């Protein structure tokens, strides 16, 4: 990451200014924002209880009573889609809360101290980076058992390396800057320096990366659900809903179709956000 | 600009190449069966205890005697021409059919029968418990099963059971007769040829197992010299198609002749499609709920009032006629319809109000337990339906889907609250289920299903024991009827459903027959026209 | 003369030296990655709640049999020793016996690998052609409708859940339109007739000389390959576009243009050779990701490769099979990933996945 880009991202104010100019960012953030709002007010907007079964209304197509039809238990698909925002957002926020701080901490320490610390940490990071993270996440959940927390943990422990690399590069660049020299001259050292003064400077770029990563996370989390490694029944989760619709895909296609669209939209939202943010950070990669 | 054209041309080219119409008919003398064979681990009759091996054994091996295809309550000779029960009722002497030979060309000798039973007992693999019902152990088996002369073999037993029961045991798949010479030649490290026999067959059935590729296919080829007669088909391919929707399409489009284990929704969608028939046969599979009354975490599970309430919290009708439509019938006793001694008694229906009243009277409130089920369909579906209907009675269920091996591990170590699962009888006698569900004598007794439920029931156990010794079939039936009534009224089991097997056949397939037990599948007389 | 010659020799030597060092570093990173994978899988195996002894002897075994099997598996030894013997076995290709098939995991994986390799290779060829093509179009006409279209296509490619796309593709192109073959690699009819020489169905059916069998194999691989290809097209197109834009702004392009060179000539003679390395890197990375993406595609299309083997094993909690599959995909992934580092050297960290 170039110094110029770092300098540009020193404060959030330019981000907001650019947001108005970047339709991708605006559209992406609105989608993500809307999904978050839906998750928060799910009980208010969902027409039915997402786990309420009506065996006599199984696999109904779209109707006035059930806008998106019903699934194999006669549950309202729309309500399940609405409640399905919750586990998805919960998993990806858990992942974000674990992976970004972990990666940034390793990166800052490596970048700031350099030398042997840097070499050991970066070797470790490179190794973790070359792992197939999807497969490892699957193996992790498969071995430890399905569930929301295991799924989030699996994704987090395999996704931190890029944050470490990025934070390290930025920290190294910053070390050489006048700002850092003056801070150090004031006698600020150790953790206070790292987390009080280096961290805020590394943070904005980590956010961009996170937006980009979260799109992938939405897909992987749904994939875990699809393979039956995500949340436990009867919790509505989009990936699991697609899996539930698979046996009837050739006749009642809508059961699997709409949760897939939901995954696509949320993932697209994060991707648009990331795209917009990247335009702002570095127009070359638009 | 040139790139655009090259790109477009290559794209068009690849589409043109790919777009060939799919769908070809299967060859006339080959039967293609689409089913899941992911469960198959071993095709050694002394070891195989999964559905796919069971469905194969009758086609590649023969037993001394077998349950008749047409009337399973009748026992007919297979490799045995006739048999005589000894006067003391402790042994049977079988006369082998003359001239019978294995697929290798080796003749079927009394030595092969002895070898087959000795190896099964000494190998001690999963299904050996069936033979142990006869009191067979590694140290007495050679004394109990002996060659009389070149055409006679004597089968004796050490357990206190009647000869009818012993005959029933000898119809089980583990009683298949293997080619002793051939198998012994492939033995290594005293494994009785087990490693070799896992993926091939060495029997006298109408087919031989020539190739088993795990997760992909199983190929049976005709054995025209079989004592059971030459089969009509040249080969049978069991093609692994794990996804039920894909199985349905294969049979619908003529890429497969038979499709098994389709879900209720797939069967419904096939209704009225030309060229295919849905054949229904009763199955002895039963689905039931088991409560662990030894559970420390949920004391209510050991309370007979809760057991009674639970019987009114199952939506039998919704399960059998809606969720799993056409695949089950409601059945509430532990012997499946079609078995000798079975009674068809259905006193329970979903009645949350009644259940609530029973629970309130017993002072049971806020009951919450974990229902551990297999992660395979239809059990995840059944579990969710139970979750919903138990909630109506104020009982909260947390569903825990696990893989089968983990489920059985939990049941056997009694580290679970409750489960909803299936049961298959192991041989054609009422005792197979009675000894599992109606025999619990505490930790010192055998670890039966009743033991897994923590159910110590000396009275019923004594009845079950006396029923097995009884020789008169009519009196036995009465005894079993009483035991079923007792278990139905109060036990930590809720019997819900008996399966109906729905097999989808292409109209080209003729003479397909399937019996009530899972191993009664015969491809020998099947024809394609 | 001599001076120039010696400087050339020197330059060549230093290039070879650099390549040698690069090769060593590459092998070094593969070794480290492999060591890490072995450690991670070992930890997973020990975290697993499934008792490996029960899996071997069955749950009806006597306590004596159980204890003997436990001893035979070396489970009473200190962890470090257990890790040592595990690593030793893995390095010699012994992953143990799969619980769900009863056969050595290595055999299962060797049988499954060609299927995955064939699918991923066909997909990456399609994806690379489409991706580079779209990237070129977008990069050469930035800002216009072409660029916007390519951007939407790649955004969708990034965002679509591949298992769902596969399902819809099966529904539409197989079940409804009959354009493609169904799940699996072949129709059952051809499956019997094809002799397996290479394990690659396209080649084996071609060798068999039966054109119907070959067409059948093509119609079966078409759909999953297209779905996978779509998945990789997005990344390749985006990076090709970025690389082209970067080159277009360089001085030599301006110079060439000033000299009157046509756009086509500039692209073919100047830009493409210059961005070759970047494109190869992206394709190699996409190929590695495809190996992972194959897990879903193979599951949906019942494609008997390593990905489906993994998901079947996941369902059966078959620990040796899961770990064996993870190791094999992991090694391929690490090799491809580090290979690109080796080829291109230090790359902008933002370009990494």
């Amino acid at each position: 990451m170039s110094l110029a880009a770092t300098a540009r991202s020193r404060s959030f104010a330019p981000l907001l200014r650019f947001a108005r100019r970047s339709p991708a960012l605006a559209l992406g953030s609105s989608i993500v924002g809307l999904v978050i709002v839906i998750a928060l007010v799910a009980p208010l907007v969902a027409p039915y209880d997402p786990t309420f079964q009506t065996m006599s209304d199984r696999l109904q197509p779209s109707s006035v009573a059930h806008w998106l039809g019903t699934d194999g238990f006669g549950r309202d698909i729309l309500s399940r889609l609405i409640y399905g925002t919750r586990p998805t957002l919960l998993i990806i926020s858990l992942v974000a809360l674990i992976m970004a701080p972990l990666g940034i901490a390793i990166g800052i320490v490596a970048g700031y101290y350099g030398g042997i610390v840097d070499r050991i940490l970066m070797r470790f990071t490179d190794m973790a980076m070359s792992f197939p993270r999807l497969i490892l996440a699957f193996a992790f959940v498969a071995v430890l058992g399905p569930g929301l927390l295991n799924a989030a943990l699996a994704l987090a422990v395999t996704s931190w390396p890029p944050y470490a690399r990025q934070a390290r590069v930025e920290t190294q660049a910053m070390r050489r800057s006048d700002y850092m020299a003056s801070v150090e001259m004031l006698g600020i050292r150790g953790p206070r320096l790292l987390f009080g003064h280096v961290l805020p400077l590394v943070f904005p770029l980590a956010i961009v990366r996170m937006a980009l990563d979260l799109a992938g996370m939405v897909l992987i989390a749904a994939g875990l659900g699809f393979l039956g490694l995500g949340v436990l029944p009867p919790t509505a989760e989009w990936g699991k809903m697609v899996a539930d619709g698979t046996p009837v895909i050739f006749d009642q296609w809508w059961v699997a179709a709409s949760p897939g669209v939901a995954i696509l939209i949320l993932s697209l939202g994060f991707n648009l956000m990331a795209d917009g943010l990247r335009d702002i950070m570095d127009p070359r990669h638009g | 600009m040139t790139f655009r054209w090259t790109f477009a041309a290559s794209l068009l080219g690849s589409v043109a190449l790919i777009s060939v119409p799919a769908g070809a008919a299967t060859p006339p003398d080959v039967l293609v069966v689409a089913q899941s064979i992911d469960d198959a681990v071993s095709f050694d009759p002394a070891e195989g205890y999964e559905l796919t091996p069971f469905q194969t054994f009758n086609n590649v091996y023969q037993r001394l005697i077998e349950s008749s295809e047409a009337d399973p309550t009748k026992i007919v000779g297979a490799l045995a021409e006739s048999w005589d029960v000894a006067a003391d009722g402790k042994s049977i002497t079988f006369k082998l059919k003359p001239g019978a030979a294995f697929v290798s060309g080796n003749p079927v000798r009394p030595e092969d029968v002895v070898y087959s039973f000795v190896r099964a007992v000494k190998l001690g693999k999963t299904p050996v418990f069936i033979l142990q019902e006869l009191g067979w152990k590694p140290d007495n088996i050679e004394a109990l099963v002996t060659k009389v002369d070149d055409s006679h073999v004597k089968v004796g037993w050490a357990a206190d059971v009647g000869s009818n029961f012993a005959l029933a045991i000898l119809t089980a798949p583990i009683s298949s007769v293997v080619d002793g010479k051939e198998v012994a030649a492939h033995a290594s490290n005293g494994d009785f040829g087990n490693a070799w026999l896992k993926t091939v067959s060495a029997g006298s059935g109408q087919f031989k197992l020539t190739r088993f590729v795990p997760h992909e296919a199983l190929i049976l080829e005709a054995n025209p010299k079989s004592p059971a007669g030459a089969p009509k088909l040249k080969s049978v391919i069991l093609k692994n198609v794990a996804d039920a929707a894909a199985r349905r399409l294969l049979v619908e489009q003529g890429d497969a002749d038979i499709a098994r284990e389709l879900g209720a929704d797939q069967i419904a969608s096939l209704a009225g499609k030309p060229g295919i028939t849905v054949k229904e046969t009763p199955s002895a599979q039963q689905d039931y709920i088991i409560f662990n009354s030894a559970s420390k975490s949920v004391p209510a599970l050991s309370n007979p009032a809760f057991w009674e309430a639970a019987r009114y919290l199952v939506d039998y009708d919704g399960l059998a006629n809606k969720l799993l439509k056409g695949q089950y019938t409601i059945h509430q006793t532990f012997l499946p319809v079609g078995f000798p001694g079975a009674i068809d008694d259905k006193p329970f229906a979903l009645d949350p109000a009644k259940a609530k009243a029973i629970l309130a009277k017993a002072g049971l409130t806020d009951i919450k337990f974990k229902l551990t089920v297999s992660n395979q369909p239809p059990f995840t579906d059944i579990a969710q339906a139970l979750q919903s209907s138990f909630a109506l009675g104020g009982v909260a269920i947390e569903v825990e889907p696990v893989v089968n091996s983990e489920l059985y591990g939990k049941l056997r170590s009694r580290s679970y609250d409750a489960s909803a699962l299936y049961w298959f009888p192991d041989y054609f006698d009422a005792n197979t289920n009675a000894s599992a569900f109606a025999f619990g004598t505490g930790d010192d007794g055998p670890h039966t299903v009743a033991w897994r439920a923590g159910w110590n029931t000396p009275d019923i156990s004594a009845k079950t024991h006396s029923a097995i010794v009884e020789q008169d079939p009519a009196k036995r039936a009465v005894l079993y009827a009483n035991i079923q009534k007792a278990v139905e009224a109060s036990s930590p089991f809720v019997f819900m459903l008996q399966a109906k097997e729905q097999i989808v056949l292409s109209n080209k397939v003729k003479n397909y027959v399937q019996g009530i037990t899972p191993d009664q599948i015969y491809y020998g007389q099947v024809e394609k026209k | 003369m001599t001076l120039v010659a010696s400087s050339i020799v020197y330059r060549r030597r230093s290039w070879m030296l650099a390549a040698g060092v690069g090769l060593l570093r590459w092998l070094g990173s593969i070794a480290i990655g492999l060591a890490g994978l072995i450690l991670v899988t070992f930890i997973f195996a020990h975290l697993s709640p499934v008792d490996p002894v029960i899996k071997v002897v069955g749950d009806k075994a006597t306590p004596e049999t159980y204890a003997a099997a436990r001893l035979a598996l070396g489970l009473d030894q200190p962890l470090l020793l257990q890790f040592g013997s595990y690593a030793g076995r893995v390095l010699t290709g012994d992953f143990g016996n799969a619980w769900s098939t009863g056969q050595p995991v290595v055999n299962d994986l060797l049988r499954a690998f060609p299927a995955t390799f064939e699918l991923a290779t066909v997909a990456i060829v399609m994806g690379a052609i489409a991706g580079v093509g779209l990237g070129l179009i977008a990069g050469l006409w930035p800002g216009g409708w072409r660029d916007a279209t390519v951007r939407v296509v790649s955004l969708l490619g990034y965002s679509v859940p591949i298992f769902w796309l596969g399902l819809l593709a099966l529904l539409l192109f197989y079940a409804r339109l009959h354009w493609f073959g169904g799940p699996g690699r072949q129709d059952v009819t051809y499956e019997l007739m094809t002799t397996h020489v290479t394990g690659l169905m396209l080649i084996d059916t071609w060798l068999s000389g039966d054109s119907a069998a070959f067409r059948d194999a093509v119609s079966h691989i078409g759909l999953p390959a297209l779905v996978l290809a779509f998945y990789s097209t997005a990344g390749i197109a985006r990076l090709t576009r970025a690389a082209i834009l970067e080159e277009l702004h360089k001085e030599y392009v301006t110079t060439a243009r000033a000299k009157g060179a046509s756009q086509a000539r500039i692209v073919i003679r100047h830009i493409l050779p210059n961005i070759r390395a970047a494109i190869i890197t992206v394709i190699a990375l996409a190929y590695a990701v495809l190996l992972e993406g194959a897990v879903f595609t193979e599951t949906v299309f019942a494609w008997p490769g390593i990905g489906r083997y993994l998901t079947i094993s996941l369902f059966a909690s078959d620990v040796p099979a899961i770990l064996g599959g993870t190791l094999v995909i992991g090694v391929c992934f690490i090799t491809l990933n580090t290979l690109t580092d080796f080829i291109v050297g230090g790359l902008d960290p933002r370009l990494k996945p």
Side-chain angles (χ1 to χ4, degrees):
Chain A
M1 184 58 51
S2 68
L3 255 179
T6 317
R8 252 204 309 269
S9 59
R10 286 253 158 94
S11 107
F12 285 103
L15 281 184
L16 292 173
R17 202 167 54 240
F18 269 96
R20 259 174 255 126
R21 281 190 221 159
S22 164
L25 182 58
L27 182 60
S29 332
S30 336
I31 292 176
V32 173
L34 185 68
V35 172
I36 294 175
V37 170
I38 290 177
L40 290 175
V41 301
L44 301 178
V45 290
Y48 297 89
D49 177 345
T51 58
F52 183 73
Q53 305 179 356
T54 322
M55 289 294 180
S56 48
D57 287 346
R58 300 182 63 238
L59 302 170
Q60 298 296 309
S62 171
S63 66
V64 181
H66 302 281
W67 289 2
L68 295 177
T70 60
D71 72 359
F73 292 94
R75 298 178 294 207
D76 182 53
I77 293 179
L78 177 63
S79 306
R80 290 182 70 73
L81 277 189
I82 290 173
Y83 273 89
T85 52
R86 293 182 160 189
T88 308
L89 289 177
L90 203 58
I91 287 183
I92 63 172
S93 12
L94 268 175
V95 175
L97 282 178
I98 304 171
M99 80 178 168
L102 182 68
I104 292 174
I106 291 178
I108 291 181
V109 170
Y112 188 79
Y113 291 104
I116 184 81
V117 178
D118 180 35
R119 288 180 65 174
I120 292 175
L121 284 179
M122 280 304 112
R123 241 322 123 73
F124 182 58
T125 309
D126 285 348
M127 182 185 84
M129 187 126 175
S130 66
F131 282 171
R133 73 180 201 194
L134 187 71
I135 302 284
L136 277 189
F138 288 165
F140 185 88
V141 184
V143 167
L144 291 184
L148 199 134
L149 198 64
N150 279 353
L153 256 181
L155 293 179
V157 297
T158 49
S159 313
W160 58 267
Y163 294 84
R165 274 202 190 184
Q166 184 177 309
R168 170 178 169 269
V169 172
E170 285 183 71
T171 311
Q172 275 177 338
M174 242 177 279
R175 270 211 82 178
R176 293 189 288 270
S177 70
D178 296 341
Y179 169 70
M180 211 41 70
S182 53
V183 171
E184 273 180 297
M185 247 165 4
L186 288 173
I188 297 170
R189 284 201 175 75
R192 200 179 142 209
L193 173 78
L194 288 184
F195 296 103
H197 295 267
V198 180
L199 183 65
L201 303 180
V202 175
F203 209 65
L205 269 181
I207 296 272
V208 178
R209 176 169 278 287
M210 204 139 82
L212 195 66
D213 263 3
L214 288 182
M217 290 298 161
V218 171
L219 293 183
I220 299 181
L224 284 170
F226 178 73
L227 294 179
L229 300 173
V231 298
L232 297 173
T235 311
E237 192 271 334
W238 295 342
K240 181 79 178 62
M241 289 171 70
V242 174
D244 289 344
T246 307
V248 293
I249 182 80
F250 297 126
D251 301 292
Q252 289 88 17
W253 52 268
W254 58 87
V255 182
S258 48
V261 173
I263 301 167
L264 175 64
I265 289 176
L266 181 59
S267 173
L268 192 65
F270 279 115
N271 268 325
L272 282 169
M273 254 173 87
D275 239 29
L277 285 171
R278 208 166 19 192
D279 281 346
I280 293 164
M281 295 298 172
D282 187 357
R284 196 188 54 167
H285 282 283
Chain B
M1 280 126 291
T2 35
F3 318 107
R4 207 163 28 150
W5 291 118
T6 337
F7 170 66
S10 61
L11 199 70
L12 272 176
S14 50
V15 168
L17 189 69
I18 290 163
S19 305
V20 290
T26 56
D29 47 2
V30 177
L31 185 76
V32 177
V33 183
Q35 67 175 75
S36 165
I37 62 163
D38 283 335
D39 61 338
V41 177
S42 171
F43 289 89
D44 183 339
E47 180 177 30
Y49 194 60
E50 291 77 30
L51 203 53
T52 304
F54 262 38
Q55 293 171 339
T56 313
F57 287 145
N58 257 327
N59 296 292
V60 295
Y61 291 100
Q62 286 184 288
R63 303 156 198 175
L64 284 172
I65 49 172
E66 60 186 29
S67 294
S68 159
E69 288 174 29
D71 174 9
T73 55
K74 286 215 170 59
I75 285 173
V76 295
L79 281 175
E81 191 176 61
S82 60
W83 55 92
D84 288 308
V85 181
D88 64 352
K90 299 298 279 180
S91 72
I92 304 172
T93 301
F94 292 92
K95 179 178 191 301
L96 299 183
K97 272 186 186 159
F102 291 108
V103 68
S104 63
N106 294 334
V108 179
R109 309 159 301 155
E111 286 90 341
D112 296 308
V113 179
V114 174
Y115 182 80
S116 303
F117 286 127
V118 168
R119 80 183 282 277
V121 171
K122 289 199 172 171
L123 275 173
K125 299 289 185 183
T126 313
V128 76
F129 70 93
I130 298 168
L131 297 182
Q132 286 168 346
E133 297 270 4
L134 294 175
W136 288 359
K137 297 193 179 73
D139 54 10
N140 68 10
I141 179 69
E142 271 148 319
L144 290 168
V145 181
T146 50
K147 172 184 173 179
V148 179
D149 58 37
D150 281 350
S151 61
H152 289 82
V153 63
K154 185 180 150 204
V155 177
W157 51 92
D160 183 18
V161 296
S163 62
N164 284 333
F165 177 72
L167 283 171
I169 293 284
L170 295 179
T171 63
I174 192 172
S175 303
S176 297
V177 178
V178 303
D179 184 342
K181 264 189 197 162
E182 187 79 8
V183 175
H186 288 91
S188 61
N189 308 325
D191 76 342
F192 292 98
N194 172 248
W196 178 70
L197 217 49
K198 276 176 197 273
T199 57
V200 296
S201 72
S204 55
Q206 290 176 288
F207 293 91
K208 66 176 176 203
L209 170 54
T210 50
R211 203 160 137 232
F212 167 52
V213 188
H215 302 314
E216 283 191 45
L218 184 70
I219 298 176
L220 307 180
E221 275 173 30
N223 170 22
K225 293 172 297 183
S226 169
K232 304 252 168 49
L233 296 161
K234 209 174 81 187
S235 54
V236 177
I237 302 168
L238 278 77
K239 165 86 184 136
N240 188 38
V241 185
D243 182 33
R247 290 199 285 271
R248 174 219 143 177
L249 270 187
L250 284 177
V251 73
E252 192 183 333
Q253 306 194 343
D255 293 332
D257 302 307
I258 296 181
R260 282 187 201 290
E261 300 158 48
L262 295 192
D265 297 316
Q266 277 106 30
I267 298 277
S269 66
L270 282 174
K273 293 265 163 72
I276 42 183
T277 316
V278 178
K279 186 183 171 72
E280 282 191 2
T281 64
S283 159
Q285 180 193 324
Q286 286 178 270
D287 291 3
Y288 67 102
I289 307 176
I290 179 171
F291 298 113
N292 179 10
S293 51
S295 162
K296 301 257 186 317
S297 52
V298 190
L301 297 181
S302 61
N303 192 324
F306 171 75
W307 300 344
E308 194 192 350
R311 284 158 168 69
Y312 295 103
L313 290 176
V314 176
D315 185 3
Y316 304 92
D317 180 58
L319 285 171
N321 301 323
K322 298 202 177 78
L323 184 67
L324 305 163
K325 192 177 175 196
Q327 313 224 294
Y328 285 93
T329 50
I330 300 171
H331 188 68
Q332 298 175 341
T333 60
F334 71 73
L335 278 177
V337 173
F339 256 57
I343 54 168
D344 197 7
D345 188 23
K346 301 187 185 88
F348 309 112
L350 177 66
D351 190 345
K354 188 162 182 179
K356 271 185 177 163
I358 295 168
L359 292 175
K361 200 175 151 205
L364 293 168
T365 48
D366 283 336
I367 304 170
K368 191 180 173 180
F369 65 88
K370 206 184 244 182
L371 186 74
T372 309
V373 293
S374 156
N375 61 3
Q376 300 293 325
F379 296 98
T380 41
D381 294 345
I382 291 178
Q384 291 194 58
L386 292 175
Q387 187 174 43
S388 174
S389 62
F390 271 65
L392 299 175
V395 179
I397 292 182
E398 184 189 335
V399 175
E400 180 189 38
V402 296
V403 298
N404 277 328
S405 57
E406 200 178 333
L407 172 62
Y408 291 115
K410 283 178 182 238
L411 289 167
R412 290 192 168 121
S413 59
R414 291 209 292 217
S415 52
Y416 70 102
D417 293 345
S419 178
L421 67 169
Y422 70 87
W423 175 265
F424 268 123
D426 290 298
Y427 46 88
F428 202 79
D429 185 276
N431 184 61
T432 181
N433 287 7
S435 63
F437 294 101
F439 197 89
T441 52
D443 288 346
D444 301 330
H447 288 193
T448 60
V449 180
W451 176 85
R452 289 181 199 163
W455 193 36
N456 194 349
T457 172
D459 290 357
I460 293 178
S461 302
K463 285 182 189 160
T464 301
H465 185 73
S466 53
I468 193 178
V469 186
E470 176 61 55
Q471 294 273 8
D472 179 3
K475 283 186 189 155
R476 269 192 92 193
V478 175
L479 292 176
Y480 282 118
N482 292 337
I483 302 171
Q484 286 171 80
K485 287 271 189 197
V487 173
E488 184 184 45
S490 184
S491 68
F493 308 112
V494 182
F495 284 87
M496 306 182 284
L497 305 164
Q498 178 175 349
K500 250 191 305 191
E501 205 163 333
Q502 290 180 308
I503 307 119
V504 182
L505 306 171
S506 146
N507 284 350
K508 283 185 285 187
V509 178
K510 309 287 178 207
N511 302 333
Y512 178 83
V513 182
Q514 179 167 345
I516 183 170
T517 57
D519 67 312
Q520 284 180 314
I521 284 180
Y522 309 90
Y523 294 116
Q525 76 287 8
V526 175
E527 278 181 275
K528 277 174 74 177
K529 275 178 189 156
Chain C
M1 275 313 233
T2 44
L3 224 154
V4 173
S6 76
S7 106
I8 288 173
V9 168
Y10 174 75
R11 271 220 297 264
R12 182 166 299 159
R13 258 200 208 132
S14 78
W15 179 84
M16 281 171 63
L17 196 69
V21 170
L23 187 67
L24 280 180
R25 285 184 76 124
W26 175 43
L27 293 177
S29 9
I30 292 182
I32 291 173
L34 183 61
L37 265 184
I38 293 177
L39 180 65
V40 169
T41 50
F42 179 75
I43 294 172
F44 281 4
H46 274 262
L47 291 175
S48 163
V50 185
D51 185 344
V53 182
I54 291 220
K55 280 289 189 176
V56 171
V57 298
D59 36 36
K60 289 184 175 169
T62 58
E64 294 79 38
T65 326
Y66 181 92
R70 194 178 148 80
L71 212 64
L73 288 174
L75 289 173
D76 55 327
Q77 289 178 337
L79 270 186
L80 205 63
L81 269 180
Q82 284 190 43
F83 177 67
S85 71
Y86 172 74
R89 271 180 286 129
V90 166
L91 288 175
T92 53
D94 176 8
F95 302 141
N97 276 11
W99 295 338
S100 58
T101 63
Q103 304 199 1
V105 173
V106 177
N107 293 6
D108 288 349
L109 289 174
L110 283 178
R111 202 177 43 242
F113 188 77
T116 300
F117 174 73
E118 186 177 34
L119 178 61
T121 307
V122 171
I124 198 68
V125 170
M126 292 185 186
I129 293 172
V132 172
L134 289 177
L136 273 173
I137 293 168
L140 293 178
W141 292 279
W145 62 270
R146 299 180 187 86
D147 193 15
T149 312
V150 171
R151 187 166 174 164
V152 169
V153 167
S154 37
L155 266 174
L156 284 177
Y158 275 127
S159 311
V160 71
I162 189 165
F163 51 89
W164 177 76
L165 186 67
L167 275 176
L168 291 193
L170 264 181
L171 168 66
L172 190 63
F173 298 111
Y174 165 59
R176 294 277 155 88
L177 297 174
H178 302 291
W179 286 6
F180 287 92
R185 299 176 83 185
Q186 284 183 297
D187 277 357
V188 185
T189 323
Y190 298 112
E191 204 159 6
L192 279 179
M193 301 192 296
T194 312
T195 32
H196 295 245
V197 185
T198 57
L200 305 175
M201 212 46 80
L202 291 178
I203 296 179
D204 286 349
T205 49
W206 183 262
L207 288 178
S208 74
D210 181 347
S211 65
F214 178 70
R215 275 209 307 276
D216 173 65
V218 171
S219 90
H220 274 269
I221 202 172
L223 214 47
L226 276 175
V227 167
L228 265 181
F230 180 58
Y231 184 58
S232 58
T233 301
I236 297 174
R238 168 174 268 174
L239 279 141
T240 307
R241 174 186 181 274
I244 288 188
L245 278 183
E246 189 164 323
E247 286 300 308
L248 276 177
H249 290 117
K250 286 201 174 150
E251 238 170 79
Y252 74 91
V253 175
T254 327
T255 319
R257 230 179 236 142
K259 283 183 178 166
S262 71
Q263 176 87 337
R265 190 183 157 80
I266 291 174
V267 170
I268 295 173
R269 298 295 293 272
H270 299 286
I271 295 185
L272 281 185
N274 277 326
I275 61 170
R276 201 168 47 196
I279 291 181
I280 289 173
T281 309
V282 175
I283 294 176
L285 287 176
Y287 193 57
V289 175
L290 274 197
L291 286 176
E292 281 200 301
V295 172
F296 289 121
T297 319
E298 289 182 359
T299 305
V300 171
F301 288 92
W303 193 261
I306 291 188
R308 180 158 155 275
Y309 181 72
L310 259 180
T311 47
I312 292 174
S313 312
L314 287 180
F315 264 109
S317 268
D318 187 340
V319 176
I322 297 172
L323 299 185
T326 307
L327 275 165
V328 168
I329 295 188
V331 168
C332 297
F333 196 84
I334 290 174
T335 310
L336 280 168
N337 247 340
T338 49
L339 179 68
T340 56
D341 276 2
F342 167 58
I343 294 175
V344 187
L347 203 76
D348 189 328
R350 283 166 307 178
L351 296 186
K352 302 270 172 178

